[in-house]
Amino acid sequence: MTIILLIVFGLAILAMAAYGYKISAKTAEDYMLAGRTIGVVVMFFFVLFAVSSSWTFYGYPGFLYMHGPSYIYFIWGSVAGFAALYMFLGPRLWAIARLNRFLSPVEVLAERYESPFLRVVLSLMLLVFIVPYVGIQPLGVGLGFKALTGLPILVGAAYTVAILVILVILGGMRIVAWVNIFLGAVYASALLGSLIWAVNRFIPGGLTGAAEFLMANNPEMLSAPGPQGYFTPVIIGGTLVVGLMAFSWPHIVIGVMTARDKLLFKWFPILIFIFGGLFFYTLPFIWGSLVAPVIMPGVTGKEAADSIIQTIITKQLPNWFSVYVLMGVIAAAVSTAAVQLLTSSVIIARDLIQGLIKPDAEDSQIIKWARWSVVGIVIISLVVSLRYTQAMALYLTEVTIPGFAQWGPALVGGILWKRATKQGAIVGTLAGLVYLVAGLFYRPLFVGMHPVMPTIIINMILFIVVSFLTQRPSEEVQSKFFDEVEEFLEAG
Amino acid sequence: MREILKHTPGKIFIGVLFVSLAGMLFITRYFTSKILVFGWMTLPLFAGFVFVAVWLIAYLIYFFKFWPYK
């Protein structure tokens, strides 16, 4: 029965992808940016569940379970980072891309800085950091499959990959955005439903009763530095800053370019703050920091902690509900990996192949390259993920986020600062990248800080100093990327 | 952001956001206290709720009343 339900769930997603293929306009703009027609509600679910990977079901509550409530500072930073992207950068990036028909954020910066070299550097850098992250999602589902059905991890991973590849190849950005609403509804209801069910069944005093239990039996779970003494004020502050860098996640940045009109940027932050900040991300927090430690205390080891919600649901709740929760996890994994896959394929097709090799390519060729690159990315990401399974859990916070952050100064400066120059962007980005890679191999180079902190500081300082020391951008660039954009936005 | 920094309401808006961020960093020194708000909310959770509420209110006032592109 479990297998049948999961097959039906997968087929429902594929049916949506097929419908999306049927109604799509078959242009590169339609495939890569949904024809720039995404409205505020679809955009919200698209972005929220592009961000909310299976990590929100495994890694996030697992870390809270191990180290107490202070880890939520990553979420508060992320909420502020996403809101900042849409409030401060979004309108201008959207307007630049719309006025000039740019299809990729890397293309925007390459044209802004008039540098094909920077285009290659940014493309390769983002691909290196995003591609292995794609592979983590199917493996996460594989673990859930194994826990529920007893089938090998590879079966669940293969199931997820099949859905992913067909969804992205057929549907493109528009249907991925729409499917994210369906997937997001499944995931949010599974998370909320399992939480309510578990609290009602096992904790008679509700959340207050859970807090009282922990105060009496495990009080370290209610405060910093947590049971293992990890969260000092410096670490908590660093966690907030790492979260703030969410504005630089490429699969979120590209979402800005799919917006229908500038009014989206006026309304969108409401949903980020209320639904995202005050509601959705609170659910796994309550699960990991309050409910799981009461229902199943004493679990040790990172892997066991990461699976704590899954274990409780599988052992304590009815089987049909466990299946529904697994669908929620699949939904979370697919909704994130699909957007990451699309973003990677856009970078390969538009920035590397068309940008470097065949500038006069037609839309049909660009779409074909993007679709083929989806298959290649999935294979590479799975091979990397399977080869380094143990290291993958740390990849997000220790490697991916610091890696994404390295294009942050060039991105922000290119859109907001007229004086930013090509040389500044190249030197800053390369210096931050080299520092990050060197530090990952030899940790003392980070002088005790999270990899984001020292690398981004060096990156920013060099970006600003070199920009001031080199010749300011041409009048043409300043007019195209600033004056015309401001006129367009002011005109309505 | 360039349009926001060009007038006084925008500067106040950005200032409020920065002060709230500084507050979030400052308050971490009190997280060793096992204080529960409403009987179950730990301090990091409650501090974040206040932080998001401040950003929400500041954004609503600025973007719906003063934002030049509204």
Side-chain angles (χ1 to χ4, degrees), chain A residues 361-380:
Chain A
E362 293 177 0
D363 271 15
S364 58
Q365 289 175 299
I366 302 171
I367 296 173
K368 187 175 76 180
W369 296 330
R371 285 182 166 140
W372 276 110
S373 64
V374 165
V375 178
I377 294 163
V378 164
I379 292 170
I380 294 170

Side-chain angles (χ1 to χ4, degrees), chain A residues 278-300:
Chain A
L278 299 180
F279 170 67
F280 181 75
Y281 288 116
T282 307
L283 302 179
F285 172 83
I286 293 172
W287 247 124
S289 71
L290 275 176
V291 174
V294 172
I295 297 176
M296 196 170 279
V299 171
T300 54

Side-chain angles (χ1 to χ4, degrees), chain A residues 69-122:
Chain A
S70 302
Y71 192 43
I72 198 171
Y73 256 50
F74 176 75
I75 294 298
W76 301 135
S78 299
V79 168
F82 293 136
L85 171 64
Y86 278 80
M87 290 191 296
F88 304 143
L89 294 181
R92 302 182 74 89
L93 176 59
W94 167 79
I96 292 168
R98 192 178 190 90
L99 284 171
N100 299 284
R101 316 313 296 176
F102 294 143
L103 295 180
S104 137
V106 173
E107 181 184 10
V108 171
L109 295 187
E111 295 294 326
R112 158 65 179 86
Y113 291 113
E114 301 177 284
S115 172
F117 178 69
L118 184 67
R119 191 173 197 173
V120 176
V121 169
L122 292 179

Side-chain angles (χ1 to χ4, degrees), chain A residues 199-339:
Chain A
V199 170
N200 281 337
R201 183 162 173 190
F202 298 108
I203 310 174
L207 295 181
T208 307
E212 285 169 357
F213 178 89
L214 290 175
M215 189 68 89
N217 297 284
N218 192 3
E220 291 78 17
M221 276 302 297
L222 299 173
S223 64
Q228 299 179 30
Y230 178 77
F231 277 107
T232 62
V234 173
I235 294 288
I236 300 172
T239 305
L240 182 76
V241 175
V242 174
L244 283 170
M245 299 312 295
F247 80 86
S248 65
W249 297 8
H251 52 298
I252 307 305
V253 173
I254 201 170
V256 167
M257 297 167 63
T258 66
R260 184 168 53 207
D261 54 48
K262 71 175 184 185
L263 283 181
L264 181 140
F265 301 99
K266 177 180 171 183
W267 289 94
F268 188 81
I270 289 182
L271 293 171
I272 297 180
F273 292 131
I274 295 178
F275 190 85
L278 299 180
F279 170 67
F280 181 75
Y281 288 116
T282 307
L283 302 179
F285 172 83
I286 293 172
W287 247 124
S289 71
L290 275 176
V291 174
V294 172
I295 297 176
M296 196 170 279
V299 171
T300 54
K302 191 180 178 313
E303 282 184 24
D306 281 354
S307 304
I308 192 72
I309 300 180
Q310 176 105 50
T311 306
I312 292 172
I313 289 171
T314 307
K315 285 187 177 174
Q316 310 287 0
L317 299 185
N319 186 60
W320 68 266
F321 194 78
S322 300
V323 177
Y324 186 67
V325 171
L326 179 60
M327 286 179 189
V329 175
I330 294 167
V334 170
S335 58
T336 301
V339 183

Side-chain angles (χ1 to χ4, degrees), chain A residues 20-77:
Chain A
Y21 180 77
K22 190 178 167 189
I23 63 167
S24 68
K26 312 289 187 292
T27 63
E29 189 174 54
D30 201 81
Y31 182 78
M32 294 175 173
L33 295 180
R36 303 181 211 266
T37 57
I38 300 293
V40 65
V41 174
V42 176
M43 176 73 84
F44 175 69
F45 284 96
F46 168 41
V47 172
L48 180 70
F49 295 106
V51 176
S52 306
S53 65
S54 52
W55 174 85
T56 54
F57 189 79
Y58 294 112
Y60 175 44
F63 209 80
L64 289 161
Y65 182 92
M66 297 279 283
H67 298 286
S70 302
Y71 192 43
I72 198 171
Y73 256 50
F74 176 75
I75 294 298
W76 301 135

